Amino acid sequence: MVYEHDGDGQRAAEAIRAGRVRFHPQRWAEVALDWLDQIRPWVISRQLCGGTGFPCGSAVLRDPSGKQDAPARCTKCGQGSLIQDSDVLDTWFSSALWPFATLGWPQDTADLRYFYPTSVLVTDRGILFLWVCRMIMVGLEFMDALPFTDVYIHRRC
């Protein structure tokens, strides 16, 4: 499965350019913008033996791994036979969902309303593209809100 972005990179870049997400030191904003301005489709599924299950299936309702009960019917087409996709989510896609997925999303929970969005992310420059930019993108896509307003990139140890 490929995540096509559909303008998510542009929305994230606009948030940075408008100062709604600030980087400290500021020079990291330019690095993030360079990546977001040149973003390409992102393969978000992997064929691994462990990980977060891919949240989709195709007609024929059974989980080949036996780990979870499949719904009785497809919620979109009403068919009664679904197969859980055996792929797992890309590690960095799962991580990008972290700011809200850990708070009960997709349900509207008290924790989600209280803790999302937050204000500060402190991180390393090594995951600026893999995690930080992607958290901004998916936060805007799935929550229609930035996950944080300030990103502090700490010095190399």
Side-chain angles (χ1 to χ4, degrees):
M1 172 71 85
V2 175
Y3 182 62
E4 294 288 346
H5 306 293
D6 295 329
D8 295 344
Q10 183 180 2
R11 286 180 69 196
E14 288 169 1
I16 294 167
R17 285 189 177 97
R20 297 191 337 252
V21 176
R22 295 174 297 275
F23 284 80
H24 311 277
Q26 169 60 31
R27 71 177 180 267
W28 293 108
E30 294 306 316
V31 175
L33 287 168
D34 184 58
W35 185 79
L36 288 165
D37 288 340
Q38 298 178 50
I39 198 163
R40 292 184 169 86
W42 172 17
V43 177
I44 62 170
S45 64
R46 299 283 183 257
Q47 296 77 41
L48 303 172
C49 59
T52 305
F54 203 72
C56 70
S58 56
V60 187
L61 215 9
R62 62 180 171 73
D63 178 3
S65 70
K67 293 179 186 172
Q68 54 187 305
D69 294 330
R73 297 212 161 290
C74 173
T75 58
K76 297 278 185 191
C77 69
Q79 274 192 318
S81 299
L82 296 179
I83 295 176
Q84 173 64 43
D85 194 304
S86 60
D87 281 5
V88 296
L89 289 173
D90 170 71
T91 301
W92 296 110
F93 188 79
S94 298
S95 298
L97 300 172
W98 184 86
F100 50 89
T102 57
L103 301 172
W105 176 85
Q107 281 72 42
D108 180 24
T109 66
D111 283 347
L112 184 59
R113 286 189 306 277
Y114 185 79
F115 292 108
Y116 190 90
T118 188
S119 55
V120 173
L121 176 70
V122 179
T123 190
D124 178 72
R125 66 184 180 183
I127 60 171
L128 185 60
F129 317 122
L130 296 171
W131 199 10
V132 178
C133 290
R134 290 174 172 174
M135 283 194 286
I136 296 169
M137 287 170 38
V138 301
L140 288 168
E141 172 66 19
F142 295 115
M143 299 297 296
D144 202 30
L146 294 163
F148 36 74
T149 54
D150 289 275
V151 179
Y152 287 85
I153 308 290
H154 58 74
R155 289 182 179 212
R156 186 181 222 180
C157 295

